[in-house]
Amino acid sequence: MKKIFLDKGHGGSDPGAVANGLQEKTLTHQIVEYAVDHLFENYTGFELRVSRAGDQTLTLSQRAKMANDWGADVFVSVHINAGKGTGFESYVYNGGVSSQTIALQNVLHGEILFAMRGFGAITDRGKKRANYAVLRETKMPAVLTENLFIDSNDAKYLKNEAFLKAVGEAHARGVAKFLGLPQKAKPQPQKQQKESDGKLYRVQVGAFSDRENAERLAEELKGQGYPAVIV
């Protein structure tokens, strides 16, 4: 069983960044809860813990220690940015990190950015490194995500519940892909037989200028049991 530790940034007496009627600690709680739901609904072969169930106050070292003491296989800390910028970025520790840590950052960054861009032209601020305590003190592959800016025009996305759900689910998919979690078997719905009118109807679900984005969507559709063809 793989052990997944998800850290909800800030909490309790530390609200994190605050602007536009939003609080970082509330947004990180929502995103992680959506990630948790998606993991349990779609994957098997894992155990999961979160740094705080509600609005508790925790130090950075406490969060890292919780993951270390449990022996987590992966650590993801979810945050919202501030500073009047725009876009998404991810971080790993700026010291010596394993190739597994870089692999986790790569898959998470791609999944989250792809999900965000379903809502608009989100800026990719890049895959970065920093001396953050939760990255420095954890003993397993660890990534910190900064999911848009609370004090800029990005707030319009952060006020959208569907956007937060998509971002949470993208975190879940990234972790699941990195760990190679088996997908749950989904029951196939019973199809009603209907007399054919001789016509064939096709549905296009995406059009992309970047083939990599098309291939990612095709793989996602195949994972959900749909035939997918790139033309």
Side-chain angles (χ1 to χ4, degrees), residues 18 24 38 56 59 69 74 90 94 105 120 146 161 169 182-183 204 220:
V18 178
E24 183 176 3
H38 191 76
Q56 294 81 27
T59 67
D69 289 350
V74 65
S90 63
N94 64 356
Q105 183 183 31
E146 290 280 8
E161 198 70 27
E169 291 177 350
Q183 285 195 327
Q204 176 176 309
E220 186 177 333

Side-chain angles (χ1 to χ4, degrees), residues 184-203:
K184 281 186 177 179
K186 294 185 179 179
Q188 293 296 317
Q190 293 275 343
K191 291 185 179 179
Q192 240 180 347
Q193 291 297 322
K194 183 182 175 183
E195 189 176 340
S196 172
D197 59 4
K199 297 177 181 176
L200 183 64
Y201 299 89
R202 287 191 174 92
V203 179

Side-chain angles (χ1 to χ4, degrees), residues 6 29 36 39 43 57-58 61 68 84 91 108 115 118 127 144 148:
L6 301 180
H29 173 81
V36 170
L39 282 165
Y43 300 96
T57 303
L58 294 165
S61 292
N68 290 337
K84 301 191 185 299
Y91 287 87
L108 274 173
K127 291 173 259 189
L144 184 147
L148 305 191

Side-chain angles (χ1 to χ4, degrees), residues 16-20 24 80-87 89 91 125 146-155 158:
V18 178
N20 292 306
E24 183 176 3
I80 310 295
N81 229 329
K84 301 191 185 299
T86 184
E89 60 193 17
Y91 287 87
R125 296 174 61 87
E146 290 280 8
N147 300 277
L148 305 191
F149 283 74
I150 202 169
D151 57 352
S152 74
N153 194 46
D154 284 354
L158 299 173

